[in-house]
Amino acid sequence: MSDMKPVARPLSPHLQIYKPMLSMMMSILHRITGVAISGGLLLLVWWLTAAAVSDDYFNLVQAFFGHWFGRLVLFGFTWALIHHALGGLRHFVWDTGRGFALPTVEKMVWLHLIAGIGLTLAVWIIGYWVMA
Amino acid sequence: MNNGSSMKTPLKQVTGLGSAHSGTAHFWQQRLTALFNLPLVVFMIGFIISHLGSSRAEVQASLHHPVVAVLMGLGLLSVIWHMKLGLQMVIEDYVHGPVTKIAALLLNLVYAALLAGLALYALLKMSFGV
């Protein structure tokens, strides 16, 4: 029992051994967008906190979001949020035991990608329309 | 269930909590918060869009309405709890050092608590209009 040296056992093949596939990329993207949203939430809380604190601070935060860089970050945040939410909907479908056939998965992937970009653009078009 | 050949004690069979002693709680909370998030996030996006060019006073005036303030608060809490669960899963999958793993998990809790604390402070302050 005293000699418990770790043995170098063979490991099962990991990601780099598999040919990249769309469904696998979407799975990874679901995680990446999830982590990105975690950072994006700080922006929302920052904006709310600024609104609660003072006029000067609120104007500063508004100026950041009005800048092209701030808008780019917000655009990315919007897409990540919508893409992740749609991924969640797919998970709900899978939770019922449906939608696992490969042709179905492929179709869902494309629908997911297109709907994600489309809804993001729709939100921003509405946004610019409201501001105009 | 084949009880005859199982190494589990009868108590273990009944509780069904597995090695982490938490059973399906993480999975179930992830799904529940995901479900709550859907309508609440739509509401939050709507709130943001409708305040794009607004002044600070206008944002505060909207949050005076109890329905708006409560939905924003619930939305943020549901999203933040969902975030905590998700980031925890990512950490548990990719961070393997015993110290770094515990540190990352604690940091995850601190981050979630910080976001929730700030969000609730801001919403309460503006909602009560002090």
Side-chain angles (χ1 to χ4, degrees):
Chain A
M1 283 300 280
S2 58
D3 191 27
M4 293 280 279
K5 259 194 276 180
V7 184
R9 294 190 177 88
L11 297 168
S12 60
H14 202 45
L15 286 178
Q16 57 271 20
I17 203 111
Y18 300 106
K19 179 182 154 213
M21 286 172 67
L22 211 48
S23 56
M24 162 182 155
M25 290 304 168
M26 291 297 275
S27 169
I28 296 168
L29 199 57
H30 191 66
R31 281 214 157 174
I32 292 175
T33 50
V35 173
I37 295 162
S38 308
L41 277 179
L42 189 62
L43 298 177
L44 174 58
V45 171
W46 187 39
W47 181 68
L48 282 174
T49 311
V53 171
S54 74
D55 285 330
D56 285 348
Y57 195 44
F58 185 69
N59 290 338
L60 177 86
V61 175
Q62 287 286 70
F64 171 76
F65 290 134
H67 190 262
W68 67 266
F69 179 74
R71 286 198 185 175
L72 188 68
V73 172
L74 282 185
F75 186 80
F77 180 30
T78 314
W79 172 77
L81 186 65
I82 289 172
H83 185 88
H84 192 84
L86 291 172
L89 284 179
R90 290 179 70 193
H91 272 281
F92 281 134
V93 174
W94 284 323
D95 283 350
T96 68
R98 275 170 274 239
F100 285 102
L102 282 180
T104 315
V105 169
E106 290 277 308
K107 256 183 255 168
M108 277 168 95
V109 164
W110 288 111
L111 190 66
H112 184 177
L113 279 172
I114 293 165
I117 294 166
L119 285 172
T120 306
L121 289 175
V123 165
W124 276 70
I125 288 168
I126 294 170
Y128 273 103
W129 177 67
V130 165
M131 276 200 297
Chain B
M1 277 286 174
N2 185 355
N3 279 324
S5 63
S6 173
M7 297 289 281
K8 288 180 187 167
T9 64
L11 178 64
K12 197 78 176 171
Q13 295 274 18
V14 159
T15 55
L17 292 177
S19 59
H21 307 291
S22 58
T24 55
H26 183 110
F27 169 87
W28 183 240
Q29 288 176 19
Q30 183 95 26
R31 290 303 195 270
L32 270 188
T33 49
L35 192 62
F36 297 148
N37 284 349
L38 285 171
L40 291 168
V41 163
V42 170
F43 177 80
M44 288 196 285
I45 290 176
F47 180 85
I48 294 166
I49 285 180
S50 56
H51 290 90
L52 282 178
S54 299
S55 66
R56 181 173 167 238
E58 285 167 328
V59 173
Q60 294 189 333
S62 297
L63 286 168
H64 274 312
H65 198 289
V67 174
V68 177
V70 167
L71 285 179
M72 287 295 286
L74 289 179
L76 276 155
L77 286 181
S78 180
V79 166
I80 289 168
W81 189 248
H82 187 83
M83 176 198 82
K84 179 261 173 195
L85 293 170
L87 287 178
Q88 181 189 334
M89 202 158 63
V90 171
I91 292 166
E92 285 168 349
D93 281 354
Y94 305 130
V95 183
H96 298 303
V99 178
T100 46
K101 183 177 174 174
I102 299 285
L105 288 171
L106 283 175
L107 214 63
N108 180 33
L109 269 182
V110 170
Y111 183 60
L114 189 76
L115 284 188
L118 285 172
L120 289 182
Y121 160 76
L123 288 174
L124 287 173
K125 188 178 176 197
M126 289 189 278
S127 174
F128 291 135
V130 185

